[in-house]
Amino acid sequence: MNSKLSLLLPALLLVAAQAQAADDATVAKGEYLSRAGDCIACHTVKGGQPFAGGLPIESPFGTIYSTNITPSKTAGIGNYTLEQFDDAVRHGERADGSNLYPAMPYPDYSVLSDADVKALYAYFMQGVKAVDKKAPETDLSFPFNQRWGLGMWDLVFGHDDSFEAHSENPFINRGAYLVQGLGHCGSCHSPRGVAYQEKAYDDTDDEFLTGGKVGIWEAPSLRAGSGTGPLVSWDKAEIVDYLANGRNDRTAVGGEMTSVIEHSLSYLTKSDLEAIADYLKSLPGEGQAIMLSVDATEKTATELNSAKVDINSGARMYLDNCGACHFTHGEGAPRVFPQLDGNSLINAKDPSGLIHVILAGARLPSTKGAPEALAMPAFGWRLNDDEVAKLATFVRQAWNNHASVVTAKQVADVRATISAAELNATKPTLN
Ligand code: HEC
Ligand code: HEC
Ligand code: HEC
């Protein structure tokens, strides 16, 4: 062999190996970022192939199907260049130049850095398995089938800005970047305006993260600094615990947030979750802190423990059906049974989420840090609408809770949205 070449060969191999290694690291980084962005949640149907799309997403425009974003050249985004991928993810533009529906949270993703978009692209091209099956086409009625109209939407209501750091503290800025961008927390936790747009995209606006709605679920305010708000009394460790495991000593996750924790946040590093908590702690809550009245808790407990509790009352039903796990004072048991006293879901303006939990039960996600998936049984098969209304009214007004009365009609409306299988999930079968 040519002696010069034999000298050169190891060096060439080394260069090639290094290029490969750098690539693997970028792909791995992209995979982590895809977790932070929870791409899998919307782009995968239950039990389906990862990222093959087809999940129906309800929006005010109608039902929108998520697309196949695997690297398939026939059914997915395998032919997308980095630039075309970027246009979709940060700017809401498809390869054919038409607009995406904002059911894809590109207005939030617009703050992503160039490097992060590159890493995501590397992951979707090299780290994801191609699935050659087309997702169903979104087929809306006029005028919402006119994608050009979405361009107008984008101009007026959209958001397309790069990230701006507002703090001296790099951890807070990292948290802000994750919350505003990949985490797209605001898409659920910020109020929406007349055209479905998020009313605020960052902390320069006081409405940012002050709470929003996802279907029947209320997504509470995440502003955890001074003032009022459900998170104001949580310390940093409690926020991190909740984001990592879906539970902490105060509460347990329910509704749409369960999937966010299971598929996205539970995969993030401790340091990133701490950065998110630092950022939420830096956002002032609203108004004055409400003083919790110890008297109210005592009064409800005495009432419940007295022999005079009416057999048909909400209090009685609570004792019979719920007290075994959540206890007389609604105090629950740390990390196992959520505390009902002061709970955000129970005190939500709209009681639909609470009604849903009582009728269909709930399941805590299983995460690395808290693998046991605890379940709340369904009571829909056992209690009728009137009984659930009384029971829900009781828990909304017991202890320190001060929420409005629930009617049987509200219960019937939520019941109509739940399948018989779910309602009967924990019904004992007699055989
Ligand atoms: C909240 C739901 C949701 C999340 C989260 C989400 N997407 Fe999407 N995405 C959609 C929907 C819905 C569409 C299709 C919109 C349409 O047809 O106009 C879409 C479209 C796309 C497209 C365009 C595909 C095409 O055919 O041109 C790409 C690329 C994409 N998403 C990538 C991502 C990536 C990468 C992530 C994570 C960082 C992500 N999406 C997270 C809902 C979501
Ligand atoms: C798909 C919608 C959705 C997204 C995206 C989302 N959340 Fe949530 N989140 C909810 C809902 C709904 C609840 C209420 C859950 C309940 O009542 O148990 C919630 C509850 C929470 C809570 C507990 C509040 C309380 O008072 O109990 C925290 C903390 C939280 N979310 C943080 C976040 C962060 C941080 C992000 C972004 C990284 C995020 N969420 C993204 C829907 C969402
Ligand atoms: C066998 C034990 C058990 C019984 C009985 C029970 N629960 Fe639960 N409950 C749980 C568990 C475990 C969770 C956590 C599951 C989750 O939130 O995903 C929970 C969650 C909840 C939540 C959601 C809290 C949140 O922050 O999201 C509410 C509200 C609730 N229960 C109310 C009730 C009411 C009202 C009753 C009586 C009709 C009841 N529970 C009976 C175990 C129980």
Side-chain angles (χ1 to χ4, degrees):
M1 194 194 270
N2 177 312
S3 68
K4 260 195 200 142
L5 191 61
S6 65
L7 271 179
L8 213 63
L9 209 56
L12 280 175
L13 285 176
L14 191 69
V15 169
Q18 268 172 350
Q20 186 61 40
D23 235 30
D24 285 351
T26 310
V27 172
K29 182 181 167 199
E31 179 173 11
Y32 179 79
L33 297 171
S34 87
R35 282 292 177 187
D38 207 5
C39 319
I40 202 161
C42 292
H43 284 279
T44 310
V45 292
K46 213 174 167 202
Q49 303 257 43
F51 305 115
L55 186 77
I57 298 174
E58 300 305 327
S59 82
F61 306 99
T63 303
I64 293 163
Y65 289 95
S66 65
T67 41
N68 179 329
I69 54 167
T70 71
S72 161
K73 291 195 184 295
T74 50
I77 57 170
N79 296 317
Y80 275 42
T81 62
L82 169 62
E83 201 187 346
Q84 286 169 324
F85 177 81
D86 183 18
D87 281 343
V89 174
R90 282 198 293 196
H91 312 295
E93 234 180 85
R94 289 203 303 194
D96 66 5
S98 64
N99 244 265
L100 290 173
Y101 289 96
M104 158 79 183
Y106 67 83
D108 298 310
Y109 295 155
S110 72
V111 299
L112 293 190
S113 69
D114 292 346
D116 282 358
V117 172
K118 262 190 206 148
L120 276 168
Y121 179 71
Y123 171 61
F124 278 98
M125 293 302 139
Q126 291 162 242
V128 170
K129 191 168 149 260
V131 178
D132 295 327
K133 187 167 171 272
K134 276 210 181 306
E137 290 270 335
T138 297
D139 185 14
L140 303 181
S141 52
F142 185 82
F144 299 126
N145 57 355
Q146 305 293 303
R147 283 186 184 260
W148 61 265
L150 291 167
M152 303 292 289
W153 184 96
D154 223 21
L155 268 178
V156 182
F157 299 111
H159 175 252
D160 197 347
D161 270 333
S162 41
F163 178 69
E164 263 180 45
H166 294 141
S167 171
E168 307 273 290
N169 179 333
F171 292 104
I172 292 183
N173 289 334
R174 170 71 182 164
Y177 176 75
L178 287 167
V179 165
Q180 291 167 24
L182 282 168
H184 63 286
C185 316
S187 72
C188 295
H189 287 277
S190 287
R192 298 250 183 190
V194 285
Y196 186 61
Q197 83 280 19
E198 289 167 43
K199 280 191 172 167
Y201 290 97
D202 65 45
D203 47 65
T204 54
D205 191 313
D206 290 344
E207 284 198 88
F208 184 58
L209 300 181
T210 52
K213 265 200 103 176
V214 200
I216 64 163
W217 304 96
E218 257 174 46
S221 165
L222 294 184
R223 302 180 71 99
S226 57
T228 55
L231 292 194
V232 171
S233 58
W234 295 21
D235 63 26
K236 180 173 158 183
E238 288 172 319
I239 298 180
V240 170
D241 197 6
Y242 180 91
L243 300 177
N245 301 312
R247 63 197 82 172
N248 59 25
D249 289 355
R250 294 170 186 268
T251 194
V253 65
E256 293 281 333
M257 189 64 195
T258 311
S259 152
V260 178
I261 288 177
E262 193 158 46
H263 300 297
S264 171
L265 298 174
S266 64
Y267 286 84
L268 298 197
T269 60
K270 183 126 192 284
S271 131
D272 272 348
L273 293 179
E274 283 176 347
I276 290 177
D278 279 339
Y279 176 58
L280 298 181
K281 274 282 160 205
S282 79
L283 302 175
E286 302 151 88
Q288 291 294 307
I290 301 173
M291 297 303 288
L292 288 185
S293 82
V294 180
D295 286 0
T297 310
E298 280 310 313
K299 186 169 145 275
T300 315
T302 318
E303 232 169 78
L304 279 173
N305 288 329
S306 77
K308 291 197 305 279
V309 181
D310 173 2
I311 193 83
N312 287 318
S313 71
R316 184 76 238 173
M317 276 187 276
Y318 176 80
L319 281 182
D320 290 347
N321 295 293
C322 326
C325 295
H326 296 284
F327 300 108
T328 315
H329 297 247
E331 69 270 42
R335 312 187 61 72
V336 184
F337 302 124
Q339 184 175 348
L340 303 187
D341 190 9
N343 183 287
S344 302
L345 177 79
I346 291 185
N347 288 289
K349 217 182 277 157
D350 180 342
S352 305
L354 168 64
I355 296 170
H356 198 284
V357 168
I358 296 177
L359 291 176
R363 181 190 59 86
L364 278 171
S366 163
T367 65
K368 270 180 292 170
E372 63 287 9
L374 292 165
M376 145 106 184
F379 287 88
W381 59 274
R382 191 170 167 184
L383 302 174
N384 66 29
D385 292 347
D386 192 48
E387 288 166 336
V388 172
K390 279 193 186 134
L391 174 61
T393 301
F394 170 75
V395 293
R396 277 161 70 80
Q397 299 182 344
W399 316 297
N400 294 292
N401 299 340
H402 298 291
S404 61
V405 169
V406 176
T407 65
K409 164 90 174 55
Q410 286 172 307
V411 178
D413 288 348
V414 175
R415 191 187 287 269
T417 67
I418 304 173
S419 71
E422 272 182 282
L423 289 174
N424 291 315
T426 44
K427 183 175 181 176
T429 43
L430 303 170
N431 48 20

